[in-house]
Amino acid sequence: DGGITQSPKYLFRKEGQNVTLSCEQNLNHDAMYWYRQDPGQGLRLIYYSQIVNDFQKGDIAEGYSVSREKKESFPLTVTSAQKNPTAFYLCASQYETGPYEQYFGPGTRLTVT
Amino acid sequence: GENVEQHPSTLSVQEGDSAVIKCTYSDSASNYFPWYKQELGKGPQLIIDIRSNVGEKKDQRIAVTLNKTAKHFSLHITETQPEDSAVYFCAASNAGGTSYGKLTFGQGTILTVHP
């Protein structure tokens, strides 16, 4: 898991509530990413940020929001607009100008009932 | 955009056998191809990667081959051990391009190594 931490490991919420997942890295990486993983599927990109105060939508951004106020932190908010929020959420980071290796955190399993 | 197909979805081998997982990609501009191993309940771990300027890379029991013409790459694990059992993902990206660093993942292969 390197220097990427995600908290909490397990998160339970009631439907209709917003919830924020934490991601912190001490690798001095420029870029950070949020992925969603569902059983039997690959990782799908939600949002990514290549620099502080800037971020881009990924393939499945609807119902999610992010902020990048510090280089080390990239929190993800799962809003009540996300229709199927129960999933395993993974944060990753990498250097912007190479090497290109992307490193992942341990993940947060979110369950919404 | 890029599309990555991974096969097989499940692979069962006996300890000591070899395992091969194959991926195809659609975007000829992709130039970076990592492989990740994910154990149950954990984040993916990078195990090997290859860039488009080489055709093969090896690290102990693990090797990756790349065929740019056919747009496919493969992971080879020799002398498999029970601890190799995990889900393996391939990915592709156009590192250094306009979508720098964005990885597109395959669907994953569940590898089971029987003692």
Side-chain angles (χ1 to χ4, degrees):
Chain A
D1 301 331
I4 304 174
T5 58
Q6 291 186 243
S7 60
K9 188 170 179 65
Y10 299 96
L11 192 53
F12 298 88
R13 280 294 183 271
K14 293 291 187 183
E15 195 172 314
Q17 293 179 336
N18 291 357
V19 59
T20 298
L21 281 60
S22 169
C23 177
E24 303 279 333
Q25 55 96 3
N26 62 2
L27 301 169
N28 199 33
H29 284 171
D30 310 287
M32 298 185 73
Y33 303 81
W34 274 106
Y35 294 91
R36 170 182 172 137
Q37 187 174 31
D38 295 285
Q41 297 192 34
L43 284 70
R44 294 184 290 169
L45 183 63
I46 304 172
Y47 268 98
Y48 65 104
S49 168
Q50 294 175 299
I51 194 171
V52 174
N53 292 324
D54 187 44
F55 47 83
Q56 311 295 330
K57 292 183 179 179
D59 301 319
I60 55 166
E62 185 176 353
Y64 299 98
S65 66
V66 294
S67 63
R68 185 86 187 277
E69 297 178 1
K70 298 187 300 181
K71 187 176 184 178
E72 303 77 20
S73 178
F74 192 40
L76 173 74
T77 297
V78 184
T79 75
S80 56
Q82 167 53 229
K83 296 181 180 179
N84 297 297
T86 295
F88 190 47
Y89 291 88
L90 289 157
C91 179
S93 68
Q94 73 181 124
Y95 288 112
E96 182 181 0
T97 55
Y100 303 121
E101 292 85 351
Q102 202 168 114
Y103 295 96
F104 284 83
T108 292
R109 185 166 299 280
L110 172 66
T111 303
V112 177
T113 57
Chain B
E2 175 66 278
N3 182 52
V4 177
E5 296 287 335
Q6 183 173 344
H7 297 280
S9 56
T10 60
L11 181 58
S12 182
V13 300
Q14 289 295 129
E15 183 176 0
D17 288 350
S18 295
V20 180
I21 303 171
K22 298 180 179 180
C23 290
T24 60
Y25 61 99
S26 61
D27 188 352
S28 57
S30 289
N31 57 13
Y32 174 63
F33 308 93
W35 285 90
Y36 288 86
K37 175 184 179 182
Q38 185 178 27
E39 297 178 345
L40 191 63
K42 296 184 178 181
Q45 179 184 9
L46 179 69
I47 56 173
I48 196 168
D49 57 10
I50 192 168
R51 288 163 175 75
S52 59
N53 58 346
V54 297
E56 183 174 1
K57 184 177 179 180
K58 189 174 182 180
D59 183 4
Q60 299 182 340
R61 297 186 297 108
I62 295 173
V64 57
T65 59
L66 171 66
N67 183 326
K68 289 191 296 183
T69 302
K71 290 192 283 189
H72 67 71
F73 57 110
S74 299
L75 177 70
H76 305 254
I77 306 174
T78 59
E79 302 172 19
T80 54
Q81 302 167 2
E83 49 265 40
D84 293 329
S85 296
V87 181
Y88 291 82
F89 290 98
C90 64
S93 77
N94 179 9
T98 56
S99 59
Y100 176 88
K102 284 179 58 180
L103 291 174
T104 300
F105 285 84
Q107 295 84 351
T109 296
I110 302 172
L111 174 64
T112 304
V113 181
H114 299 281

Coordinates of all heavy atoms in Angstrom, one line a residue, chain A residues 10-51:
Chain A
Y10 N -13.9 0.3 6.5 CA -15.3 0.0 6.2 C -16.2 1.2 6.6 O -15.9 1.8 7.6 CB -15.7 -1.2 7.1 CG -14.9 -2.5 6.7 CD1 -13.8 -2.9 7.5 CD2 -15.3 -3.3 5.7 CE1 -13.1 -4.0 7.2 CE2 -14.6 -4.5 5.4 CZ -13.5 -4.8 6.2 OH -12.8 -5.9 5.9
L11 N -17.2 1.4 5.8 CA -18.1 2.6 6.1 C -19.5 2.2 5.8 O -19.8 1.6 4.7 CB -17.6 3.7 5.2 CG -18.2 5.1 5.5 CD1 -18.0 5.5 6.9 CD2 -17.6 6.1 4.6
F12 N -20.4 2.5 6.7 CA -21.8 2.1 6.5 C -22.6 3.4 6.6 O -22.4 4.2 7.5 CB -22.2 1.2 7.6 CG -21.5 -0.2 7.6 CD1 -20.3 -0.3 8.3 CD2 -22.0 -1.2 6.8 CE1 -19.6 -1.5 8.2 CE2 -21.3 -2.4 6.8 CZ -20.1 -2.6 7.5
R13 N -23.5 3.6 5.7 CA -24.4 4.8 5.6 C -25.8 4.4 5.2 O -26.0 3.4 4.6 CB -23.8 5.8 4.6 CG -22.7 6.6 5.2 CD -23.0 7.5 6.3 NE -21.9 8.4 6.7 CZ -21.1 8.0 7.7 NH1 -21.2 6.8 8.3 NH2 -20.1 8.8 8.0
K14 N -26.7 5.2 5.7 CA -28.1 5.1 5.3 C -28.3 5.8 3.9 O -27.6 6.8 3.6 CB -29.0 5.7 6.3 CG -29.0 5.0 7.6 CD -29.6 3.6 7.5 CE -29.8 3.0 8.9 NZ -30.4 1.6 8.8
E15 N -29.2 5.3 3.2 CA -29.5 5.9 1.9 C -29.9 7.3 2.1 O -30.7 7.6 3.0 CB -30.6 5.0 1.2 CG -30.8 5.3 -0.3 CD -31.8 4.3 -0.9 OE1 -31.7 3.1 -0.6 OE2 -32.7 4.8 -1.6
G16 N -29.5 8.2 1.1 CA -29.9 9.6 1.2 C -28.8 10.5 1.9 O -29.0 11.7 1.9
Q17 N -27.8 9.8 2.5 CA -26.8 10.6 3.2 C -25.6 10.7 2.3 O -25.2 9.8 1.6 CB -26.4 9.9 4.5 CG -27.5 9.8 5.6 CD -27.0 9.1 6.8 OE1 -26.1 8.3 6.8 NE2 -27.6 9.4 7.9
N18 N -24.9 11.9 2.4 CA -23.6 12.1 1.7 C -22.6 11.5 2.6 O -22.7 11.5 3.9 CB -23.3 13.5 1.5 CG -24.2 14.2 0.5 OD1 -25.1 13.5 -0.2 ND2 -24.1 15.5 0.3
V19 N -21.5 11.0 2.0 CA -20.4 10.4 2.8 C -19.1 10.8 2.1 O -19.0 10.8 0.9 CB -20.5 8.9 3.0 CG1 -20.6 8.2 1.7 CG2 -19.5 8.3 3.9
T20 N -18.1 11.1 2.9 CA -16.8 11.5 2.4 C -15.7 10.5 2.7 O -15.6 10.1 3.9 CB -16.3 12.9 2.9 OG1 -17.3 13.9 2.5 CG2 -15.0 13.2 2.4
L21 N -15.0 10.0 1.7 CA -13.9 9.0 1.9 C -12.6 9.8 1.8 O -12.4 10.6 1.0 CB -14.0 8.0 0.8 CG -15.0 6.9 0.9 CD1 -16.4 7.4 0.9 CD2 -14.9 5.9 -0.3
S22 N -11.7 9.4 2.7 CA -10.4 10.1 2.8 C -9.4 9.4 2.1 O -9.3 8.1 2.0 CB -10.0 10.2 4.3 OG -8.7 10.6 4.5
C23 N -8.5 10.1 1.4 CA -7.3 9.6 0.8 C -6.1 10.6 1.0 O -6.2 11.7 0.7 CB -7.5 9.4 -0.7 SG -6.0 8.8 -1.5
E24 N -5.0 10.0 1.6 CA -3.9 10.9 1.9 C -2.6 10.1 1.4 O -2.5 8.9 1.5 CB -3.7 11.1 3.4 CG -4.9 11.7 4.1 CD -4.9 13.2 3.9 OE1 -3.8 13.8 3.8 OE2 -6.0 13.8 4.0
Q25 N -1.7 10.9 0.8 CA -0.4 10.2 0.4 C 0.8 11.1 0.8 O 0.7 12.3 0.7 CB -0.4 10.0 -1.2 CG -0.7 11.2 -2.0 CD 0.5 11.9 -2.6 OE1 1.6 11.5 -2.4 NE2 0.3 13.0 -3.3
N26 N 1.8 10.4 1.1 CA 3.1 11.1 1.5 C 4.2 10.8 0.6 O 5.4 10.8 1.0 CB 3.4 10.8 3.0 CG 3.7 9.3 3.2 OD1 3.7 8.5 2.2 ND2 4.0 8.9 4.4
L27 N 3.9 10.5 -0.7 CA 4.8 10.1 -1.7 C 5.3 11.2 -2.5 O 6.1 11.1 -3.5 CB 4.2 9.0 -2.6 CG 3.8 7.7 -1.8 CD1 3.0 6.8 -2.8 CD2 5.0 7.0 -1.3
N28 N 4.8 12.4 -2.3 CA 5.0 13.6 -3.0 C 4.6 13.5 -4.5 O 5.2 14.1 -5.4 CB 6.5 14.0 -3.0 CG 6.8 15.4 -3.4 OD1 5.9 16.3 -3.1 ND2 7.9 15.7 -4.1
H29 N 3.6 12.6 -4.7 CA 3.0 12.4 -6.0 C 2.1 13.6 -6.4 O 1.5 14.2 -5.6 CB 2.2 11.2 -6.1 CG 3.0 9.9 -6.1 ND1 2.5 8.7 -6.0 CD2 4.3 9.7 -6.3 CE1 3.4 7.8 -6.1 NE2 4.6 8.4 -6.3
D30 N 2.2 13.9 -7.7 CA 1.4 15.1 -8.2 C -0.1 14.7 -8.5 O -1.0 15.4 -8.2 CB 2.0 15.6 -9.5 CG 3.5 15.8 -9.4 OD1 3.9 16.8 -8.7 OD2 4.3 15.0 -9.9
A31 N -0.2 13.5 -9.1 CA -1.5 13.1 -9.6 C -2.2 12.1 -8.6 O -1.5 11.3 -8.0 CB -1.4 12.5 -11.0
M32 N -3.5 12.3 -8.4 CA -4.2 11.4 -7.6 C -5.5 10.9 -8.3 O -6.1 11.7 -9.1 CB -4.5 12.0 -6.2 CG -3.3 12.3 -5.4 SD -3.6 12.9 -3.8 CE -4.1 11.4 -2.9
Y33 N -6.0 9.7 -8.0 CA -7.1 9.1 -8.7 C -8.1 8.5 -7.7 O -7.7 7.9 -6.7 CB -6.6 8.1 -9.7 CG -5.6 8.6 -10.7 CD1 -4.3 8.7 -10.4 CD2 -6.0 8.9 -12.0 CE1 -3.4 9.2 -11.3 CE2 -5.1 9.4 -12.9 CZ -3.8 9.5 -12.6 OH -2.9 10.0 -13.5
W34 N -9.3 8.4 -8.1 CA -10.3 7.6 -7.4 C -10.9 6.6 -8.4 O -11.4 7.0 -9.5 CB -11.4 8.5 -6.8 CG -11.1 9.0 -5.5 CD1 -10.8 10.3 -5.2 CD2 -11.1 8.3 -4.2 NE1 -10.6 10.4 -3.8 CE2 -10.8 9.2 -3.2 CE3 -11.4 7.0 -3.9 CZ2 -10.7 8.9 -1.9 CZ3 -11.3 6.6 -2.6 CH2 -11.0 7.5 -1.6
Y35 N -11.0 5.4 -7.9 CA -11.6 4.3 -8.7 C -12.7 3.6 -7.9 O -12.6 3.6 -6.7 CB -10.6 3.2 -9.1 CG -9.5 3.7 -10.0 CD1 -8.3 4.2 -9.5 CD2 -9.6 3.6 -11.4 CE1 -7.2 4.6 -10.3 CE2 -8.6 3.9 -12.2 CZ -7.4 4.4 -11.7 OH -6.4 4.8 -12.5
R36 N -13.6 3.1 -8.6 CA -14.7 2.3 -8.0 C -14.5 0.8 -8.5 O -14.2 0.6 -9.7 CB -16.0 2.8 -8.4 CG -17.2 1.9 -8.0 CD -18.5 2.5 -8.5 NE -19.6 1.5 -8.3 CZ -20.8 1.8 -7.7 NH1 -21.1 3.0 -7.5 NH2 -21.6 0.8 -7.6
Q37 N -14.6 -0.1 -7.6 CA -14.6 -1.5 -8.0 C -15.8 -2.3 -7.6 O -16.2 -2.2 -6.4 CB -13.3 -2.2 -7.4 CG -13.1 -3.6 -7.9 CD -11.8 -4.2 -7.4 OE1 -11.3 -3.8 -6.3 NE2 -11.2 -5.0 -8.2
D38 N -16.5 -2.9 -8.5 CA -17.6 -3.8 -8.2 C -17.2 -5.2 -8.5 O -16.3 -5.5 -9.3 CB -18.8 -3.4 -9.1 CG -19.3 -2.0 -8.8 OD1 -19.9 -1.8 -7.7 OD2 -19.0 -1.0 -9.5
P39 N -17.9 -6.2 -7.8 CA -17.6 -7.6 -8.0 C -17.6 -8.0 -9.4 O -18.5 -7.7 -10.2 CB -18.7 -8.3 -7.2 CG -19.1 -7.3 -6.2 CD -19.0 -6.0 -6.8
G40 N -16.5 -8.7 -9.9 CA -16.5 -9.2 -11.2 C -16.2 -8.2 -12.3 O -16.2 -8.5 -13.5
Q41 N -15.8 -7.0 -11.9 CA -15.5 -5.9 -12.8 C -14.1 -5.3 -12.5 O -13.6 -5.4 -11.5 CB -16.6 -4.8 -12.8 CG -18.0 -5.3 -13.2 CD -18.9 -4.1 -13.4 OE1 -18.5 -3.0 -13.8 NE2 -20.1 -4.2 -13.1
G42 N -13.6 -4.7 -13.5 CA -12.4 -4.0 -13.4 C -12.6 -2.7 -12.6 O -13.7 -2.4 -12.1
L43 N -11.5 -1.9 -12.5 CA -11.6 -0.7 -11.8 C -12.1 0.4 -12.8 O -11.6 0.5 -13.9 CB -10.2 -0.3 -11.3 CG -9.7 -1.0 -10.1 CD1 -9.4 -2.5 -10.3 CD2 -8.5 -0.3 -9.5
R44 N -13.0 1.2 -12.3 CA -13.5 2.3 -13.2 C -13.2 3.6 -12.6 O -13.4 3.9 -11.4 CB -15.0 2.1 -13.3 CG -15.4 0.9 -14.1 CD -16.9 0.8 -14.4 NE -17.6 0.6 -13.1 CZ -19.0 0.7 -13.0 NH1 -19.7 1.1 -14.0 NH2 -19.5 0.4 -11.8
L45 N -12.7 4.5 -13.4 CA -12.2 5.8 -12.9 C -13.3 6.8 -12.6 O -14.2 7.0 -13.5 CB -11.3 6.4 -14.0 CG -10.6 7.8 -13.6 CD1 -9.7 7.6 -12.4 CD2 -9.8 8.3 -14.9
I46 N -13.3 7.4 -11.4 CA -14.4 8.3 -11.0 C -13.9 9.8 -11.3 O -14.6 10.5 -12.0 CB -14.7 8.1 -9.5 CG1 -15.1 6.7 -9.2 CG2 -15.8 9.1 -9.1 CD1 -15.3 6.4 -7.7
Y47 N -12.8 10.1 -10.6 CA -12.2 11.5 -10.8 C -10.7 11.3 -10.7 O -10.2 10.4 -10.1 CB -12.7 12.4 -9.7 CG -13.9 13.2 -9.9 CD1 -15.2 12.8 -9.5 CD2 -13.8 14.4 -10.6 CE1 -16.3 13.6 -9.7 CE2 -14.9 15.2 -10.9 CZ -16.2 14.8 -10.4 OH -17.3 15.5 -10.7
Y48 N -10.0 12.3 -11.3 CA -8.6 12.4 -11.1 C -8.1 13.8 -11.1 O -8.8 14.7 -11.6 CB -7.8 11.6 -12.2 CG -8.0 12.1 -13.6 CD1 -6.9 12.8 -14.2 CD2 -9.1 11.9 -14.4 CE1 -7.0 13.3 -15.5 CE2 -9.2 12.3 -15.6 CZ -8.2 13.0 -16.2 OH -8.3 13.5 -17.5
S49 N -7.0 14.0 -10.5 CA -6.4 15.4 -10.3 C -4.9 15.3 -10.6 O -4.2 14.5 -10.0 CB -6.6 15.9 -8.9 OG -5.9 17.0 -8.6
Q50 N -4.5 16.1 -11.5 CA -3.1 16.2 -11.8 C -2.3 17.2 -11.1 O -1.1 17.3 -11.1 CB -2.9 16.3 -13.3 CG -3.4 15.1 -14.1 CD -3.4 15.3 -15.6 OE1 -4.0 16.3 -16.1 NE2 -2.7 14.5 -16.3
I51 N -3.1 18.2 -10.5 CA -2.4 19.3 -9.8 C -3.4 19.8 -8.8 O -4.6 19.7 -8.9 CB -2.0 20.4 -10.8 CG1 -1.0 21.4 -10.2 CG2 -3.2 21.1 -11.4 CD1 -0.4 22.3 -11.2

